[in-house]
Amino acid sequence: MADTPLYQDLRVFCGNAHPELAQDICRYMEMPMGDVEVFEFSNENIFVRFRENIRARDVFIVQTMTSPVNTRIMELFIMIDAARRASAGRITAVVPYYPYGRSDKKDQPRVPITARLIANFLETAGADRILTVDLHAGQIQGFFNIPVDELTALSLLSGYFREKNLPNLTVVATDVGGAKGARRMADRLDAPLAIVEKRRLGNEEKVEALNIIGEVEGRTVLIVDDEVLTGGTLVTTAGAVTDHGATAVYASATHPILAGDAVERIEKAPIKELVFTDTIPIPPEKELPNFTILSLAPLLGEAIRRIHTGQSAGDLFNGR
């Protein structure tokens, strides 16, 4: 039968990165959260203990990569190892925001491909499957020798803006690399696409807008990106389209990293509304009145349910 689980009882656990999201996932699935203990000793060594039987269970470990990122990574590795040694039937790492995604290739001499290294670590720790959302680069899936299910927030974000029914809308990609994702958003909103040509200045996380390909004058603009790190790209793009005559600027991104002085930059930018998902928790001190947060818990919960029962999840991964 299609709804017969491939493994015994489904159990969802979480580390310390984003327990609210894990609780929302369990609430959607109408099941209690698994009981696990995760803490640091005084010497910063991490301790993990599952406080319930997980032998032959289908275990899902929810751990996004928020600050401190390297600590969250180690928590996940150790949780996976503990689950494997406790004879879990299958271990799926649910990583809404994948770490080191920008380091996906050698673009300079003598640099690592850290996204591949993280993939190797996850497999070595004992993960059987990865569930994630909107990878920074699609080729990261190919770094794994285990199944990778990449969900997308496209349906959630596009549905939100479709209901707003913004007039004279143009979707704007922050660079040529993001044009494919922005095109998918534009198609869903039946809007034209524009692209900002930009130049990244070394490794300093600074960008410079050079040109805009497409028409934004006299139009409402929706800037689309996969993540907001320092806010440099977003703020530069918002300024560029405003200088070229855009009448209103909205923006959306899946991952609200908001590192450094990102919030201060965004607060000064001409952005009416910035819409994120909850792949990463935003602390109260970083929240702005023009932020809107949409929950991915139903999407993640449904993906977990389908993976557990062996049902097709292709429509979820395509954002339909």
Side-chain angles (χ1 to χ4, degrees):
M1 295 177 60
D3 59 352
T4 301
L6 301 178
Y7 297 85
Q8 290 188 26
D9 296 343
L10 164 66
R11 302 300 293 146
V12 176
F13 299 90
C14 73
N16 293 321
H18 199 350
E20 296 84 4
L21 177 59
Q23 290 165 0
D24 288 344
I25 290 171
C26 290
R27 191 173 298 113
Y28 170 83
M29 300 179 69
E30 299 181 339
M31 61 178 292
M33 183 116 75
D35 190 7
V36 64
E37 182 180 19
V38 184
F39 68 88
E40 283 189 20
F41 290 110
S42 57
N43 61 358
E44 299 183 6
N45 289 186
I46 296 168
F47 177 81
V48 170
R49 180 169 67 97
F50 287 91
R51 297 195 283 202
E52 61 182 82
N53 178 26
I54 57 173
R55 183 178 294 274
R57 303 296 195 270
D58 198 4
V59 171
F60 290 79
I61 301 174
V62 180
Q63 179 81 330
T64 198
M65 294 304 148
T66 185
S67 181
V69 173
N70 295 326
T71 298
R72 301 310 179 210
I73 292 172
M74 284 304 302
E75 283 183 3
L76 178 59
F77 293 159
I78 296 171
M79 290 180 75
I80 292 170
D81 183 74
R84 181 170 61 87
R85 295 178 188 279
S87 301
R90 180 175 63 178
I91 304 167
T92 300
V94 182
V95 188
Y97 176 65
Y98 186 85
Y100 291 97
R102 293 185 174 217
S103 180
D104 63 314
K105 59 185 176 297
K106 284 193 67 174
D107 55 358
Q108 303 173 50
R110 300 173 297 280
V111 297
I113 303 179
T114 320
R116 171 59 189 266
L117 182 63
I118 296 296
N120 291 342
F121 285 163
L122 285 166
E123 291 186 32
T124 300
D128 297 300
R129 193 177 197 104
I130 305 296
L131 176 60
T132 188
V133 181
D134 285 338
L135 292 167
H136 186 66
Q139 66 263 26
I140 293 174
Q141 293 189 39
F143 294 167
F144 288 87
N145 294 310
I146 58 177
V148 176
D149 298 315
E150 182 190 2
L151 301 176
T152 176
L154 175 64
S155 181
L156 184 65
L157 292 169
S158 62
Y160 177 82
F161 283 103
R162 190 183 304 113
E163 290 184 2
K164 291 184 76 71
N165 195 26
L166 299 173
N168 300 319
L169 181 65
T170 292
V171 174
V172 173
T174 58
D175 56 25
V176 175
K180 183 177 180 180
R183 166 56 68 190
R184 293 167 66 198
M185 176 71 83
D187 288 345
R188 284 174 175 260
L189 298 178
D190 194 24
L193 176 69
I195 303 171
V196 173
E197 180 190 3
K198 75 176 184 183
R199 175 172 58 192
R200 189 170 293 279
L201 306 177
N203 294 320
E204 301 176 359
E205 298 180 341
K206 296 180 180 179
V207 294
E208 177 185 10
L210 302 177
N211 192 23
I212 295 180
I213 304 168
E215 184 60 49
V216 299
E217 184 176 0
R219 301 187 65 84
T220 301
V221 162
L222 171 59
I223 301 170
V224 175
D225 209 347
D226 64 321
E227 63 183 49
V228 175
L229 179 54
T230 63
T233 295
L234 175 63
V235 170
T236 299
T237 302
V241 296
T242 300
D243 292 343
H244 282 73
T247 56
V249 179
Y250 293 79
S252 73
T254 302
H255 309 296
I257 305 171
L258 303 176
D261 60 353
V263 173
E264 288 76 11
R265 289 180 178 179
I266 294 169
E267 190 172 21
K268 298 174 183 176
I271 299 174
K272 292 179 68 69
E273 185 178 15
L274 175 51
V275 182
F276 292 115
T277 72
D278 59 351
T279 57
I280 296 174
I282 301 178
E285 65 271 16
K286 289 190 174 184
E287 292 182 1
L288 292 177
N290 62 338
F291 283 6
T292 297
I293 311 299
L294 306 180
S295 177
L296 280 174
L299 179 64
L300 288 165
E302 187 60 30
I304 290 171
R305 191 196 309 278
R306 295 190 187 193
I307 290 170
H308 174 62
T309 58
Q311 294 177 290
S312 173
D315 56 343
L316 298 180
F317 305 144
N318 293 325
R320 292 195 292 272

